[in-house]
Amino acid sequence: MRRSGYIIEYALSSLLRRWKKNVALLIIYSAVVAFFASVLFFTSALREQSRLVLDPLPELWIQKLSGGRLAPVANALADSLRHIRGVRKVEPRVWGYYYDSPTGAVFTLIGSDSLFTDLPLQLAEGAGRLDNNGALCGRGFLLSHGLIPGDQINLLDNKGKMHSFVIRGAFTSESDLLTYDLIILAPKQARRILDLHETEATDIAVAVYNPDEAENIATKISRRFPGIRVISKSQLRITYEALFGWRGGIFIFGALISLLAFLILAWDRASGLSKQDQQELGILKGIGWDIGDVLALKFWEGIIIALTATLSGMLLAVMHIFLFNAVLIKPFFIGWSILFPPYKIPLYISIGDLLLVLVISVVPYLAATLLPAWKGAVTDPAEVMQNG
Amino acid sequence: MANENIIRTDRLCKIFNPGAHNEVEAVLDVDLALPQASATLIKGPSGSGKTTLLTMLGCLAKPTSGQYTCLGEAVSHWPEKFLTRFRRRHIGIVFQNFNLISGLSVFENIALPLYPDGLPFATVKERVEQLARDLKMDHRLYFKVDTLSGGEMQRVAIARALVNQPQILIADEPTAHIDSTLAKEILELFHSLNKKGLTLLIASHDPLLETHPMIDRTYCMRDGRLREHHAE
């Protein structure tokens, strides 16, 4: 134990004596680990994010297809769906996209009296929650138009007719992920803008009593009502996972190649032990250190470098992802958008991810430095006497 | 053990690249018998095989043939691991050019041979400080060795060789890189250590050593062969 303590102490002092070289090595090593860990943490955080977003959604929703395209669904279908065994709640939804030509952005328009009413709102002076001529807006819409609650907005229907609404309230930044690009109108007004008849909805949300039965109920609905598409939450989850997994896979592949390149560099550096390194190992052997002692020294040097770089890299990755919102890699994962919600990525790191980074970073580096160190360790101690 | 031969060799040979076109017979048929607390000088021109002989006697290298018995143990063909341990416990070596590790302090350089044994730090500190006092280096104990003079470096190298309390001290050209005043100082130091019972084996062609009173036998090495040298 004390022997290891002395050797660790010597390894530390040995690294400090060559601090310039080792600092440069640590910077490169940490950067490579940070890149790899960023991708891993970000992919996991996105998966977690999608899980959190999907969790509160209904298990199923029903869309009508007409000629392979989405078409409005009749409200009457909701009544039929209510009678299917296992269905808990059926809710026709009115929503669509609104292209805003002044900004070139596309907003999500929802017609609802009750949706998101529990989210924090900044209300206009004297305003109630929502009335027939009122609108609730997300921050993205307000910021892009320079509007505040109490101002008026004009929206065009598909015939080009303008409809004016007063902004009764604005969603606050806490709900940006859900509301940033949102405009909520009374259902009747939303139908006018989206060109939906009173008897039609965009789709129908279906909640079931037993989520495990959702797929069976989906199959039952599909068979009973031809021409409709049933989307289940589990399908959506698989799609998200596949999307993030695929993009993450490309990046992890790139990061692994960087790590491999670094390890080849480390191998190259370690295998060509400098004259000074060889001289020092020779002296240590000459004064009574055996091969095991010298290898232990090199092992501890490697562990200190690898752990410092790995921990720094992981810390940098955590800061990059969760403090700086993955500024360097986010666009590659979730796409570019004129008005993409600037949401904060939730802090989520799994033990599995940490272990994976640790193993992939530390083990190959140790192998890449220890194997060549063996060459130095078996230096003939007599050489130190001969070379004086 | 008082009058026994602490070092004994029988037809010791060291041949580099045996059988190859560049074969070198560095040491040939050396017979040596050195009693405890003796002070032996091996002189001879450069390339005569002095250093190679010392590497074998210092258990740094194995002989190609012949027998080497040190402190009663036939060590000639021991595996390196055991040879290293034996060397660490019983033999101190002062190399040419000091061979200190730059960037480390005097204390660290002296303490290095003790690390593999994992002695308590209090023991390490006590031994290093005692040696530093004996060698008049205590005022420089925490200086980096790079800042020392040649004489001070040599004293650190000697302290490092003595820190494991060896019975044998082997020194290769200990006065080669220091001026004559310092050389005399170092020889006085060796003399005092020898008087305390340390067996000394020194390779050198410095005339100062040849005439020094502590030297009780001198050997001359030439072309790998050792002959006892008798003063005229």
Side-chain angles (χ1 to χ4, degrees), chain A residues 2 6 279 285 288-289 388, chain B residues 80 87-88 97 99 118-119:
Chain A
R2 260 195 303 263
Y6 287 131
Q279 167 83 353
K285 290 198 75 183
W289 286 41
Chain B
E80 190 186 317
R87 180 172 73 246
R88 194 162 71 222
N97 285 342
N99 270 340
L119 296 174

Side-chain angles (χ1 to χ4, degrees), chain A residues 2-4 6-7 9-10 13-14 17 276 279-280 282-293 377-382 384-388, chain B residues 16 51-52 54-55 60-61 80-81 84-85 87-88 93 95-97 99-104 108 112-113 115-116 118-121 124 160 170 172:
Chain A
R2 260 195 303 263
R3 168 187 171 268
S4 295
Y6 287 131
I7 291 177
E9 192 189 322
Y10 185 75
S13 89
S14 177
R17 275 183 287 131
Q276 191 193 356
Q279 167 83 353
E280 187 172 323
I283 293 171
L284 292 175
K285 290 198 75 183
I287 63 173
W289 286 41
D290 62 28
I291 292 173
D293 300 324
V378 297
T379 304
D380 185 356
V384 71
M385 199 119 174
Q386 297 287 358
N387 297 335
Chain B
F16 294 107
T51 300
T52 305
L54 291 192
T55 60
L60 288 162
E80 190 186 317
K81 191 175 174 66
T84 303
R85 203 169 293 168
R87 180 172 73 246
R88 194 162 71 222
I93 301 172
F95 303 100
Q96 277 191 59
N97 285 342
N99 270 340
L100 301 177
I101 293 182
S102 75
L104 291 187
E108 290 165 315
L112 272 178
Y115 288 176
L119 296 174
F121 183 70
V124 172
R160 186 180 63 186
I170 293 176
D172 191 16

